[in-house]
Amino acid sequence: MAQKKDGALIFIFITLLIDVIGIGIIIPVVPGLIEKLTGEGISEAAKYGGWLTFSYAIVQFLFAPVLGNLSDRFGRRPVLLFSLLGLGIDYVFQAFAPTIFWLFIGRVIAGITGASFTTATAYIADISTPEKRAQNFGMVGAAFGLGFIIGPVIGGIASEWGTHVPFLVAAAFSLVNFIYGYFVLPESLSLKNRRRFQWKRANPLGSLKHLKKYPMVMGLIVAFTLLFIASHAVQSNWTYYTMYKFQWDEKAVGYSLGFVGLMIAIVQGGLIRLIMPKVGQYGAIYAGLFLNMMSLILFGLATEGWMMYAVLLPYAFAGIAGPAMQGLMSSDVPANEQGELQGGLTSVMSLTSIVGPLIMNYLFSFFTLPSAPFIFPAAPFMVGAAMVAVGLYLTYNTLSKHAKK
């Protein structure tokens, strides 16, 4: 049984790794493609980038609970395969986009089918013991990290043949991933742990309303929301910020994201299994949130490109907070509601991907335009740090109350 579970974890890890490689490939070239299609500069491209993320996130916000609930009814495997196929189609749309409008069409398709991480986390919850869930959730971060080592480097190199080429490469990765999953990925949800599909629970509000009966889960979801909004100070602005402040090109951005991935993979793929037993889930959450807050401040204060690399070290260690929070929430929810929980969390993350890029990209754009009252490209990082500080305070209150029960 243990060998089967280890094998299943390897399957889901490889599936997610190929998925993230595809995402990582296109990141360095998106600003250039937007500039090419719109004829605008980097500041305006950042606004379009924010709206592209918004269109993906708002559709995913609506559809993630549907797919999460469907995975509780029909199993994780078919939903995951559906998601991977949709992502491949999305990249093809973007590769041949003649106008900015077609980029938005592709993002909507990906938002509808984008449940790979939702289903993967539910899959991991299915095959993990409660005490191992936080560590196994770290495998998602490790796949994310390794994917961002390989993906952006491939994207940076492929961009030398044109801004459309990385999207075709990403499409190929996603379709290979679909084929791999079809033949190799086993089902994780047993028939006895499935439940009937209910539309009243298959929507963002219904999903979160149902989770209200778990007070700790709801308390952590609020902090989770603030953390993920703040994360867009990095995720949505890294390319624009480093190109603007340090004059990095696509290849330099790709290498930096590769380093981000290496650090995340080391921490979440290996060190988290050493750290978690020593500090516990509570300690991992507090330490991770504090390091996240300080890293955002230091990103904003960096005056040389090499400083961004130096700050990436504590930023990577801050990633232990997310798996620890997911582990605590998952352990509070029964087996036949794991898909609903992960769908609800994905809706929350999608909501933050609606709000986060709009706030952070707008702040960057506003404070880098010639008409700004003063030039301050670090504004997103400082606002993000303040949000994490509030999240840390709320998390402490929630966990203190839970510990007294």
Side-chain angles (χ1 to χ4, degrees):
M1 183 65 70
Q3 287 182 337
K4 287 184 177 180
K5 289 184 176 181
D6 288 343
L9 279 174
I10 293 171
F11 291 146
I12 204 72
F13 174 79
I14 293 174
T15 300
L16 285 174
L17 175 61
I18 298 173
D19 198 7
V20 177
I21 287 172
I23 296 170
I25 284 171
I26 69 169
I27 287 178
V29 297
V30 168
L33 182 59
I34 294 173
E35 287 182 284
K36 180 180 178 180
L37 293 177
T38 63
E40 302 285 355
I42 192 72
S43 293
E44 288 299 318
K47 285 185 180 179
Y48 279 103
W51 283 109
L52 280 169
T53 305
F54 172 86
S55 63
Y56 169 83
I58 195 165
V59 175
Q60 190 180 61
F61 173 71
L62 297 172
F63 280 86
V66 176
L67 296 178
N69 277 266
L70 285 173
S71 78
D72 280 342
R73 172 64 182 87
F74 298 105
R76 316 303 183 199
R77 185 177 182 274
V79 175
L80 184 58
L81 293 177
F82 173 72
S83 172
L84 296 175
L85 182 61
L87 191 61
I89 294 171
D90 167 50
Y91 290 138
V92 173
F93 262 89
Q94 293 184 82
F96 295 104
T99 65
I100 192 73
F101 171 76
W102 287 100
L103 285 185
F104 281 96
I105 295 295
R107 290 285 78 195
V108 169
I109 292 171
I112 292 172
T113 61
S116 57
F117 282 91
T118 303
T119 315
T121 48
Y123 192 109
I124 291 169
D126 291 339
I127 61 175
S128 302
T129 58
E131 61 272 13
K132 289 286 186 180
R133 274 183 184 151
Q135 296 176 36
N136 288 341
F137 281 138
M139 290 191 68
V140 178
F144 190 91
L146 282 174
F148 269 89
I149 296 170
I150 302 166
V153 174
I154 294 174
I157 294 171
S159 67
E160 295 181 4
W161 286 276
T163 52
H164 291 77
V165 174
F167 290 93
L168 294 175
V169 176
F173 269 94
S174 294
L175 295 176
V176 167
N177 197 7
F178 168 79
I179 295 169
Y180 167 80
Y182 182 83
F183 287 104
V184 179
L185 192 69
E187 180 55 64
S188 65
L189 187 65
S190 64
L191 292 174
K192 67 178 182 180
N193 283 330
R194 299 184 187 188
R195 61 177 178 82
R196 66 187 181 90
F197 180 85
Q198 295 176 286
W199 278 108
K200 67 180 181 180
R201 293 169 64 170
N203 64 81
L205 296 179
S207 179
L208 293 175
K209 183 178 179 181
H210 182 74
L211 293 173
K212 282 178 67 177
K213 64 182 181 181
Y214 307 108
M216 184 191 71
V217 170
M218 290 306 299
L220 288 178
I221 281 177
V222 175
F224 209 68
T225 302
L226 290 171
L227 177 63
F228 273 86
I229 291 176
S231 72
H232 283 279
V234 178
Q235 292 177 19
S236 298
N237 275 290
W238 183 268
T239 304
Y240 303 104
Y241 181 76
T242 54
M243 285 182 169
Y244 175 88
K245 193 167 184 178
F246 308 115
Q247 291 74 55
W248 288 2
D249 60 13
E250 286 89 348
K251 188 176 289 188
V253 171
Y255 289 145
S256 71
L257 291 174
F259 185 74
V260 173
L262 176 63
M263 292 298 98
I264 292 174
I266 290 172
V267 172
Q268 300 210 17
L271 293 182
I272 192 172
R273 296 177 179 274
L274 301 175
I275 296 171
M276 198 72 71
K278 294 182 182 299
V279 302
Q281 288 181 306
Y282 284 26
I285 292 171
Y286 296 143
L289 291 176
F290 178 77
L291 286 173
N292 190 296
M293 177 184 68
M294 295 306 301
S295 297
L296 291 176
I297 293 171
L298 292 173
F299 280 138
L301 296 177
T303 56
E304 301 287 343
W306 65 265
M307 295 180 182
M308 300 296 284
Y309 279 89
V311 179
L312 283 173
L313 295 173
Y315 184 73
F317 274 95
I320 63 175
M325 293 172 82
Q326 279 188 284
L328 275 179
M329 288 187 278
S330 180
S331 64
D332 217 30
V333 174
N336 64 358
E337 295 181 14
Q338 290 295 328
E340 182 174 40
L341 169 64
Q342 302 306 331
L345 290 178
T346 299
S347 282
V348 168
M349 287 188 278
S350 299
L351 182 61
T352 66
S353 294
I354 296 169
V355 177
L358 293 180
I359 294 174
M360 301 306 178
N361 286 51
Y362 178 81
L363 284 170
F364 174 82
S365 179
F366 179 82
F367 283 104
T368 56
L369 289 171
S371 58
F374 56 92
I375 302 299
F376 189 51
F381 294 108
M382 299 308 173
V383 172
M387 288 183 172
V388 177
V390 174
L392 178 57
Y393 172 76
L394 294 175
T395 298
Y396 178 77
N397 280 348
T398 296
L399 296 184
S400 295
K401 291 177 183 177
H402 183 73
K404 292 177 181 177
K405 291 184 178 181

